Amino acid sequence: MPRVLAPTVLISAHCDLPCGVYDPAQARLEAESVKACMTKVADNDDPDFKARALAIKEERSDLVKHHLWVLWTDYFKPPHFEKYPNLNGLFNEATKLAGAGGTKASWDPKVADNLLGKIDEIAEIFWETKKAA
């Protein structure tokens, strides 16, 4: 029996995104949303609003981690980690700040500020590597 929906051509790719479109701004934008949720909840007593903000904060925290992981695992290569020995630590700290022990567990905007600071440090290294390429 012929397979009507079978692929006719097999392709493969070496990354999640087309080459050249990596940017830590994606993680930063999501982290800004996390902080905005934290800030807006502080000024609102509506339980429905708080529940919605919690859901958004959790979702955006996961997106921060996703965007950081893509940079960490797909963009940065061994020569980058050799040149910037603190890079693995920065990613580890940033993803933990976006996780259960960070922005997911806290309503304190200072936690989001710490996350944004780590993303900015990663971005600085990222743009240095782009200039060198």
Side-chain angles (χ1 to χ4, degrees):
M1 173 173 216
R3 294 181 56 195
V4 176
L5 300 177
T8 57
V9 177
L10 295 176
I11 60 169
S12 64
H14 68 276
C15 64
D16 294 66
L17 302 170
C19 292
V21 298
Y22 296 102
D23 195 328
Q26 293 169 303
R28 189 168 215 304
L29 181 64
E30 300 301 348
E32 290 284 355
S33 292
V34 169
K35 183 178 177 184
C37 286
M38 293 172 161
T39 303
K40 290 180 180 203
V41 161
D43 299 329
N44 196 309
D45 293 329
D46 178 6
D48 291 332
F49 180 85
K50 287 185 176 195
R52 185 165 177 254
L54 174 63
I56 293 169
K57 179 175 76 91
E58 298 247 333
E59 175 188 38
R60 298 304 166 100
S61 291
D62 280 337
L63 286 170
V64 170
K65 290 191 311 185
H66 169 76
H67 291 302
L68 289 174
W69 285 333
V70 168
L71 283 173
W72 194 3
T73 60
D74 294 352
Y75 172 77
F76 286 103
K77 304 293 184 234
H80 299 135
F81 295 106
E82 291 170 16
K83 184 172 181 180
Y84 304 95
N86 63 327
L87 191 56
N88 275 315
L90 283 172
F91 273 108
N92 185 50
E93 292 166 14
T95 55
K96 288 194 179 301
L97 279 167
T103 55
K104 283 187 159 191
S106 176
W107 285 101
D108 185 352
K110 289 179 186 176
V111 176
D113 285 335
N114 290 339
L115 173 58
L116 287 162
K118 294 296 178 189
I119 293 169
D120 288 346
E121 289 182 61
I122 291 167
E124 185 176 327
I125 293 171
F126 172 84
W127 290 111
E128 286 178 17
T129 67
K130 293 291 272 188
K131 287 179 196 171

